[in-house]
Amino acid sequence: EAGVTQSPTHLIKTRGQQVTLRCSPISGHTSVYWYQQALGLGLQFLLWYDEGEERNRGNFPPRFSGRQFPNYSSELNVNALELEDSALYLCASSLTGVHYEQYFGPGTRLTVT
Amino acid sequence: AQKITQTQPGMFVQEKEAVTLDCTYDTSDQSYGLFWYKQPSSGEMIFLIYQGSYDEQNATEGRYSLNFQKARKSANLVISASQLGDSAMYFCAMWYNQGGKLIFGQGTELSVKP
């Protein structure tokens, strides 16, 4: 069974640009979660999508947004990139209602210069 | 407010010895779950072990065991017979019954010496 996949693996952007990160959940999983891990820090919850709807949002500005598609894959969009957005962005998926059992993807490493 | 605290930024252990990684948590919820994840340098988060707040016995998964002391709000990870491949960052996390999110500690970097 394929795990959670994320693309791209690495990304370099300039301050002020916009970026889109992608995540495909494990087959059968309908919930997708996004986390940000800045260098040397723990994971910070960003967003939770379930059945196409945004269910919860972490303490991040509105320029962080996303969506979930009918096939349950998800995108994370970050507008007006700032230097402190440089981080590893991890996506996780779970079965609906079993959100304590989250499986993580390999992450996308974003560098903002 | 929910919070996870890992007070050991870095730990060293000799190969084949046991090591305990500390984790304390704070929550007013009665129903919650505690997790440990391993993050190698590649970045992927690998699930190690889970303990539910109502579980009376400590969780074990192979060489990993979770020392759950509910009254003290601690959930320490014990790794027995350390291996070189155990060198990684270890994160303690808590899921609580609203919001559908995991709260993570700051992590402990474990280095296993040959």
Side-chain angles (χ1 to χ4, degrees):
Chain A
E1 178 183 291
V4 177
T5 60
Q6 292 185 245
S7 63
T9 306
H10 293 88
L11 206 51
I12 300 175
K13 290 285 188 179
T14 306
R15 191 170 53 182
Q17 285 187 315
Q18 178 265 342
V19 68
T20 297
L21 311 181
R22 295 177 175 82
C23 172
S24 291
I26 291 172
S27 177
H29 286 190
T30 57
S31 280
V32 171
Y33 312 80
W34 287 95
Y35 294 86
Q36 181 197 65
Q37 186 180 23
L39 188 64
L41 299 179
L43 278 71
Q44 302 294 319
F45 169 74
L46 263 167
L47 290 159
W48 169 32
Y49 291 95
D50 183 59
E51 300 281 356
E53 300 283 334
E54 182 179 303
R55 301 296 185 183
N56 197 16
R57 181 183 181 85
N59 189 25
F60 281 84
R63 56 191 187 82
F64 286 84
S65 65
R67 55 179 173 168
Q68 187 178 34
F69 298 98
N71 67 354
Y72 305 114
S73 66
S74 176
E75 284 182 353
L76 173 69
N77 298 294
V78 188
N79 294 321
L81 284 166
E82 300 180 2
L83 296 179
E84 54 264 33
D85 296 335
S86 294
L88 179 67
Y89 289 84
L90 289 159
C91 170
S93 74
S94 76
L95 295 169
T96 295
V98 192
H99 33 254
Y100 50 85
E101 194 168 324
Q102 299 180 20
Y103 295 85
F104 284 80
T108 293
R109 193 166 297 278
L110 172 65
T111 302
V112 182
T113 60
Chain B
Q2 285 76 9
K3 187 179 179 181
I4 292 280
T5 302
Q6 294 179 252
T7 57
Q8 306 155 312
M11 289 278 288
F12 289 92
V13 65
Q14 207 67 36
E15 192 179 8
K16 299 181 184 177
E17 292 186 348
V19 62
T20 298
L21 306 184
D22 294 341
C23 173
T24 58
Y25 62 92
D26 190 15
T27 181
S28 55
D29 278 37
Q30 296 302 309
S31 177
Y32 53 90
L34 296 155
F35 301 78
W36 279 91
Y37 285 87
K38 173 184 178 181
Q39 187 178 42
S41 55
S42 59
E44 186 170 357
M45 296 290 281
I46 302 168
F47 167 78
L48 294 178
I49 197 166
Y50 165 76
Q51 179 87 39
S53 59
Y54 295 116
D55 295 339
E56 294 189 352
Q57 291 203 337
N58 288 342
T60 59
E61 291 284 349
R63 295 186 299 112
Y64 304 107
S65 61
L66 198 152
N67 184 2
F68 182 46
Q69 298 188 41
K70 195 170 182 177
R72 298 179 62 183
K73 293 190 174 179
S74 75
N76 298 339
L77 176 70
V78 180
I79 305 174
S80 63
S82 297
Q83 301 172 356
L84 296 178
D86 294 335
S87 294
M89 283 291 289
Y90 288 80
F91 290 97
C92 180
M94 177 173 65
W95 163 80
Y96 64 104
N97 198 26
Q98 65 177 148
K101 63 182 180 181
L102 286 171
I103 298 173
F104 286 82
Q106 296 296 85
T108 295
E109 184 170 8
L110 178 66
S111 298
V112 180
K113 294 184 169 182

